[in-house]
Amino acid sequence: MSVPLLDVNAQNHPLESELQAAFNQVLKHGRFIMGPEMETFEKEIAAMVGVKHALSVSSGTDALLLALMALDIRPGDEVLCPAFTFFATAGAVSRLGAVPVFTDICPICFNMDVNDARKKITARTRAIIPVHLFGQCADMDPILALAKENGLRVVEDAAQSIGSKYKNRDSGTMGDFGTYSFFPSKNLGGFGDGGMLVTNDDALAEFAKVLRNHGSKPKYYHHYVGGNFRMDTLQCALLSVKVKRYAQYTAQRQFNAAHYITELSKLPGVVQADPAHCKCVSAQDSWLAAQNARIVLPVSYAHNTHIWNQFTLRVLDNQRDSLRDHLVAKNIGCDIYYPVTLDQQQCFTGLPESSRTGCDVSHRLAGEVLSIPIYGELNEAQRNEVIAAINEWLG
Ligand SMILES: *Cc1c(COP(=O)(O)O)cnc(C)c1O
């Protein structure tokens, strides 16, 4: 039996009749741009995450770009973001002529190392973009405190974490702006591209709304240069069908993660990461060595609600590619998120050296990580097949 890394149809096909009804509704009224289903969907998201304003946008990438434009990030400004994330986080900064300054990450939760961020603040730093990677929030209290001390704006890249929580606050709602993505592989996966920008700030919401539509207000009068960052009515209508089931989708992923953790922990050489080692890489390394660890399982911090966009293993001792090859040979989907850190991307080699230093943990993890199937519709036989294949590899 083959187990795909993700099967979007397993979630979407059971909704066929409802999705068709939503499509027919939009076809009937014909308001394809900013039609009534857009506002309905925005309200549903705002209510779900508990935020005042939600603006649907063309993608998670454009949500980041729009957030930074609304915060007036300009050429020469510096914006802190982790080196270990999807490209868009830094790409949005760069497209405005600003400089992404890369911070290292925590080897336990894969998120921004706040102490490293603090060291990299300069007189030009304007904003900080914590990313809630793989479905778990970054440590927001110290990040928000650091931002406040230094007058920095905070944009949370919550593309992978819509609905996840940090101390009972929703990811994306703690900074000046939060951004979500509805790319099909995200937890609230759409039928094409889409995203959402959220904020509790009335003035920022209003400005972002104007910029979303070419900076035009009223129509054909442009005080600002904006863009076309709108999300289709149709996409909003289709996603409304899935929002209603989102809590269930999350619960299924959490069930799968718990099952993996219980079963994989029983295998020799497999240990779960220990949050106690969050701030000390060398202590963690000696602890892992003492246990003869070969694979490290991900962990959800006690103060977080993890939504498991990815279930990411660390494979130690340069054995990652060997495990990947083994799983691929067994027709088990897996992938490396992310093989190259952002500070090492070709397109950023022209950035000042100072923006690309001290990301050692990120580099190391890029060589260790391997994500295995975690999507909600994975069945018991499939989960067990993944576990059996890992067990076989361990020998
Ligand atoms: C997916 C993703 C984005 C971009 O979202 P798109 O909707 O694909 O443009 C940005 N940041 C992170 C961390 C992501 O995972």
Side-chain angles (χ1 to χ4, degrees):
M1 182 180 36
S2 81
V3 185
L5 181 60
L6 173 66
D7 178 3
V8 292
N9 283 338
Q11 188 167 79
N12 294 333
H13 282 181
L15 307 174
E16 191 176 340
S17 61
E18 272 186 73
L19 292 169
Q20 277 173 354
F23 173 81
N24 288 338
Q25 179 82 20
V26 176
L27 184 65
K28 212 160 152 188
H29 66 56
R31 294 170 61 190
F32 299 120
I33 303 293
M34 303 186 105
E37 287 81 0
M38 182 187 90
E39 205 181 310
T40 305
F41 179 55
E42 290 177 345
K43 283 189 172 142
E44 285 167 342
I45 294 294
M48 184 175 95
V49 303
V51 76
K52 221 162 150 190
H53 305 280
L55 295 182
S56 59
V57 290
S58 29
S59 67
T61 302
D62 283 346
L64 286 165
L65 186 62
L66 183 53
L68 296 172
M69 286 170 74
L71 293 172
D72 198 26
I73 299 300
R74 294 166 175 234
D77 289 346
E78 292 179 0
V79 178
L80 295 160
C81 71
F84 191 76
T85 171
F86 179 62
F87 178 74
T89 314
V93 175
S94 211
R95 284 172 65 187
L96 293 174
V99 179
V101 174
F102 298 107
T103 78
D104 214 355
I105 56 160
C106 155
I108 308 291
C109 66
F110 307 103
N111 285 323
M112 180 180 271
D113 175 341
V114 190
N115 293 326
D116 190 51
R118 177 176 289 112
K119 285 185 219 153
K120 291 172 176 170
I121 290 177
T122 74
R124 288 181 299 281
T125 312
R126 291 273 328 277
I128 184 164
I129 310 182
V131 181
H132 307 311
L133 207 67
F134 302 149
Q136 162 157 244
C137 285
D139 196 5
M140 286 304 288
D141 280 346
I143 290 172
L144 293 169
L146 182 70
K148 201 167 175 189
E149 272 164 46
N150 294 278
L152 310 181
R153 295 295 205 158
V154 179
V155 178
E156 297 174 69
D157 183 344
Q160 301 184 7
S161 69
I162 185 167
S164 78
K165 287 181 173 44
Y166 173 80
K167 301 183 181 174
N168 290 320
R169 284 176 287 167
D170 265 78
S171 75
T173 68
M174 296 171 271
D176 293 293
F177 278 115
T179 64
Y180 304 126
S181 165
F182 307 121
F183 185 82
S185 69
K186 304 298 159 83
N187 282 32
L188 185 53
F191 306 82
D193 281 309
M196 191 76 75
L197 180 64
V198 297
T199 181
N200 282 309
D201 186 304
D202 298 342
L204 286 178
E206 184 52 36
F207 190 31
K209 206 169 191 172
V210 172
L211 291 175
R212 175 175 68 174
N213 203 8
H214 296 293
S216 140
K217 193 192 175 181
K219 206 172 179 184
Y220 305 124
Y221 289 79
H222 301 265
H223 292 275
Y224 309 99
V225 178
N228 172 0
F229 299 125
R230 299 176 307 248
M231 183 168 159
D232 293 340
T233 308
L234 186 57
Q235 190 63 249
C236 292
L238 296 172
L239 272 164
S240 276
V241 173
K242 297 186 77 172
V243 172
K244 297 169 183 66
R245 295 168 169 89
Y246 190 61
Q248 172 63 27
Y249 295 154
T250 299
Q252 288 169 263
R253 283 176 181 264
Q254 289 167 336
F255 179 88
N256 289 341
H259 183 81
Y260 275 148
I261 289 166
T262 306
E263 297 304 318
L264 290 171
S265 295
K266 293 176 185 166
L267 307 181
V270 181
V271 299
Q272 191 177 24
D274 183 349
H277 298 121
C278 179
K279 301 227 157 37
C280 188
V281 180
S282 59
Q284 185 198 192
D285 282 342
S286 30
W287 177 76
L288 290 171
Q291 305 199 62
N292 297 314
R294 295 170 64 194
I295 294 178
V296 185
L297 302 177
V299 66
S300 172
Y301 282 14
H303 58 249
N304 278 341
T305 306
H306 202 318
I307 63 161
W308 302 103
N309 179 245
Q310 298 295 344
F311 190 92
T312 302
L313 310 173
R314 287 176 58 199
V315 188
L316 307 179
D317 307 321
N318 280 318
Q319 293 301 301
R320 190 265 314 275
D321 292 354
S322 159
L323 176 57
R324 180 193 55 185
D325 294 347
H326 178 78
L327 295 181
V328 168
K330 300 241 138 204
N331 278 318
I332 291 174
C334 57
D335 214 341
I336 298 166
Y337 304 114
Y338 298 91
V340 183
T341 60
L342 299 190
D343 59 301
Q344 296 188 319
Q345 294 292 347
Q346 182 71 37
C347 63
F348 292 138
T349 48
L351 292 180
E353 185 63 30
S354 58
S355 68
R356 300 183 284 122
T357 55
C359 298
D360 299 348
V361 176
S362 305
H363 298 167
R364 178 171 157 190
L365 290 191
E368 292 180 348
V369 289
L370 188 66
S371 297
I372 60 174
I374 190 68
Y375 65 93
E377 295 70 27
L378 206 63
N379 62 39
E380 188 176 356
Q382 290 174 313
R383 283 192 303 266
N384 290 340
E385 185 144 329
V386 174
I387 294 162
I390 293 173
N391 192 22
E392 191 180 281
W393 178 79
L394 288 163

